[in-house]
């Protein structure tokens, strides 16, 4: 291990008490119980700043994460130096090798690795720590922030990324009419349409980033995205609404088109009951979990930068929300009236299994 980190720095990976998680006040936070692994369908492993990518990957394996999808942007990720097929290939191989070494260090320390049942989940046949390292995938696409720079050079880098054997989709792509994006809407729409057509041509799923303006009450970006999807068609391999943070009403047309909804840390916030209403309204076969690390750490890890391992807390919160008997039937507009009771009748094990299977169908099938 001395060739990778010195002993003091290893505390970032595995603290002295051998507990992965601690609150901002230093109190150990236990892992939520689960009998299946959890998938992070959208985590920016290459953009973390409090952990190295290998530390974060190994910690996620120890937490029970069994799948990771990292979105690579051939425009926006240039400052990170991980934006093209050669740079991604070298970084990914190094990250996996170092994560293996860190997991061996954890084993020597006596850390108990997760052990899961395989009975009701797909494509899971290995111990959790090995499965994640073998199931670390990427998707590639140009974010709305970089839509104006989606030139021939960026398109060529994107095509080369999509040719990598572990690239399993296109994303994150979409529309951002929020305060942080100055790119003209037409440029964003053109980039989205191009990449959606590319997903059809290559038979790949997509992950959509959609953000509405914050200075009014409209949902123009979501409305426009629905129109684009209707015009071009939802890719047969699937379409995921990444980091969904809106209401059941906004979600409804996407669900009706067969899209999958990805819920992250915001779904655990006390200030976002409308997101939990969307969870209750969303069909269980159309939802997945994500982190969007390093952003929006879930409860109880608020105050920390989000890491891939935190998806286990988001999944636990989602499962509890989905299995609760209380929900606002007026808000739960995606649940047919004669099926409303299903929210309280589904078991936690069934929801955990569905979350894994949905992610597997999108990003691991045929790989």
């Amino acid at each position: 291990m001395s060739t990778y980190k010195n002993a003091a720095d290893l505390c970032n990976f595995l603290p002295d008490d051998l507990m992965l998680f601690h609150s901002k006040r230093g109190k150990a936070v236990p892992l939520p119980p689960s009998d299946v692994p959890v998938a992070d369908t959208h985590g920016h492993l290459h953009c973390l700043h409090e952990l190295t990518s290998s530390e974060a990957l190994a910690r996620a394996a120890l937490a029970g994460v069994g799948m990771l999808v990292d979105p690579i942007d051939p425009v926006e990720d240039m400052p990170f130096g991980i934006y093209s097929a050669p740079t991604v290939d070298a970084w990914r191989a190094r990250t996996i090798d170092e994560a293996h070494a860190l997991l061996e260090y954890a084993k020597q320390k006596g850390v108990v690795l997760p052990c899961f049942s395989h009975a009701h989940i797909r494509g899971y046949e290995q111990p959790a720590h090995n499965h994640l390292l073998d199931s670390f995938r990427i998707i590639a696409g140009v974010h709305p922030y970089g839509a104006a720079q989606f030139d021939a050079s960026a398109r060529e880098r994107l095509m080369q990324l999509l040719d990598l054997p572990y690239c399993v989709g296109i994303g994150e792509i979409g529309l951002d009419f929020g305060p942080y994006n100055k790119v003209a809407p037409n440029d964003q729409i053109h980039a989205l349409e191009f990449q959606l057509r590319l997903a059809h041509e290559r038979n790949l799923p997509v992950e959509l980033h959609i953000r509405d303006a914050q200075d009014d009450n409209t949902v123009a970006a979501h409305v426009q995205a629905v129109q684009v999807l209707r015009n071009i068609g939802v890719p047969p391999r699937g379409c995921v609404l990444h980091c969904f943070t809106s209401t059941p009403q906004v979600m409804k047309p996407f669900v009706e088109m067969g899209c999958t909804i990805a819920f992250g840390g915001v779904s655990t916030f006390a200030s976002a009951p409308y997101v939990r209403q969307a969870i209750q309204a969303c069909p269980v076969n159309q939802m997945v979990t994500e982190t969007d690390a390093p952003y929006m750490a879930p409860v109880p890890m608020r105050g920390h930068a989000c890491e891939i391992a935190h998806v286990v807390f988001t999944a636990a919160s989602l499962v509890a929300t989905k299995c609760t008997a209380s929900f606002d039937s007026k808000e739960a507009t995606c649940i047919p009236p004669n099926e409303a009771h299903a929210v309280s009748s589904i078991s936690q094990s069934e929801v955990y299994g569905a979350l894994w299977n949905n992610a597997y169908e999108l990003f691991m099938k045929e790989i």
Side-chain angles (χ1 to χ4, degrees), residues 67 69 122-124 131 134-135 137 165-169 202-205 236-238 356-367:
M67 182 193 313
V69 179
R122 297 199 55 192
Y124 190 89
H131 196 276
D134 293 340
S135 305
R137 306 292 188 242
Y166 48 83
C167 185
V168 293
R202 292 199 171 224
N203 194 31
L204 291 170
R237 280 298 306 273
W356 173 270
N357 289 337
N358 297 341
Y360 177 88
E361 286 293 319
L362 282 161
F363 299 115
M364 294 294 294
K365 188 177 179 182
E366 299 176 5
I367 296 299

Side-chain angles (χ1 to χ4, degrees), residues 23 42 83 88 98 107 111-112 120 157 177 181 189 193 225 231 241 247 268 276 284 314 328-329 332 344 353 359 361:
S23 69
H42 190 109
Y83 61 94
V88 170
E98 291 179 351
K107 181 179 179 181
V111 176
V112 178
H120 55 296
R157 291 195 299 275
F177 297 166
N181 194 14
I189 292 169
E193 290 175 338
N231 290 343
L241 263 68
T247 66
T268 71
R276 289 183 290 280
V284 73
T314 299
D328 186 338
S329 60
S344 60
E361 286 293 319

